[in-house]
Amino acid sequence: MANTPSVPVRVRFCPSPTGNPHVGLVRTALFNWAYARHTGGTMVFRIEDTDAARDSEESYDQLLDSMRWLGLDWDEGPAAYDGSSVEAVGPHAPYRQSQRMDLYKDVAEKLLAAGHAYHCYCSTEELDARRDAARAAGKPSGYDGHCRDLTADQKQAYEAEGRPAIVRFRMPDEAITFTDLVRGEITVLPENVPDYGIVRANGAPLYTLVNPVDDALMEITHVLRGEDLLSSTPRQIALYRALISLGFAKAIPAFGHLPYVMGEGNKKLSKRDPQASLNIYRERGFLPEGLLNYLSLLGWSFSADQDIFTIPELIEKFDVADVNANPARFDLKKAESINADHIRLLDPKAFAEACEPWLTAPHANWAPEDFDRAAWEAIAPHAQTRVTVLSDITANVDFLFLKTPVEDEASWTKAMGKGDPAALLTTARAKLEAADWSDPESLKNAVLAAGEEHGLKLGKAQAPVRVAVTGRTVGLPLFESLEILGKDKTLTRIDAALAKLTA
Ligand code: GLU
Ligand code: ZN
């Protein structure tokens, strides 16, 4: 277990606004956030929107909205966490890379002037041809350094030809070693990290430049990100050294690469996998704390014998030093079961409120005015232990709000298909009519007594009643349900079932 670092921790979450947020991205945001909160550090939220062709404002809005829904608050970022209408929060604004282009231009020029970078005039065709030849000869196939040391005359000749030039970073001819917070010491040999492009021929700066430059300028101390970015780390460390020599950076951050998240069939969970979309979890009614609890277990564990915990407990315990390097398996069933536990942990009032969006239009299949809050509040405590995700609530309580219960032929046949349900329902109706409707025990005794008259145990006797009244064979405790639905509606529905049975 690592001690709290001596320099105040500054972590960043820096997504590109492309597409919908996915669970892998949320896991990265969460680990950064938990580490910031655990250490009393700063969470920087930066938007990497330098790819105008792929970035969208809609995706940007979704990122902010998702972070707010999850409760992952940031201390610095492109907007206020609380939604108040400010442009940016924090001393390193702006936090959208599309608004920082002049900075990158300046850094690129200084890297060029100091010889840390150079213009590369090679065309794609030339690069491809040389790469193929190197491959055929069994040599390293990365950039071969062709333009590293061009003479002034050669450069002039290329310029005169009108060749476009990209800017390439000059990698040092030495091994780069760093200690990954998750994986331990990693050494990369120079032949495996060729000089790489940092600015396009059209002047557009690339991720390879803007990401470490912003990490440097924003004084990020810990870079916690997915394992897929591990290969860019040696390059970034080399660039950092150049940035330090030019006065743009103070220190090289620590890096920690979070393990891959595997999906079905032992394949990496892909952004395009429907299981990966954050919106699906939100629409199904995962609680933010349930989802975060589950996602925190993708590469980390709370303790050997406890996997349900609150967000404050997570913050108290989370340390990046405890992250496991092995790939983590995304397990939907486990996510659901953890969420169900968090639903049970809600206080009853919070549970009732959390469900309401699913009980009012447009989620429900009854009119908004048919939603009856008093009935809902009465039944909610009986439902709280029975839902895995909040959207499960509609099927459990729809009988309260629908004019007639759901039409479900399979359930009808199951409950009414044997014996003499009409006779049973007739007796039960008479006894229910005479029962005490302020006491579910009295309703139960009515059905129990009706069953006895027809030689049926309570379980068998209540099945036709349940289907007649709720449309389903399983559901919440029946007699509490009847009491809350009320005498008139209950008897009317039994009458309708009898009419159907005897038609
Ligand atoms: N914008 C990059 C991405 O979303 C950030 C990568 C990083 O954390 O360095 O992949
Ligand atoms: Zn070149």
Side-chain angles (χ1 to χ4, degrees), residues 12-17 25 28 32 46-49 97 207 211-212 215 223-226 228-229 232 236 255 271:
R12 83 315 194 253
F13 173 54
C14 54
S16 298
L25 196 71
T28 298
N32 279 283
R46 182 173 78 224
I47 300 293
E48 305 217 317
D49 56 349
Q97 290 188 324
Y207 163 79
N211 175 277
D215 285 349
V223 170
L224 312 180
R225 60 184 176 189
D228 51 320
L229 290 153
S232 59
Q236 294 186 351
F255 291 85
K271 286 197 257 258

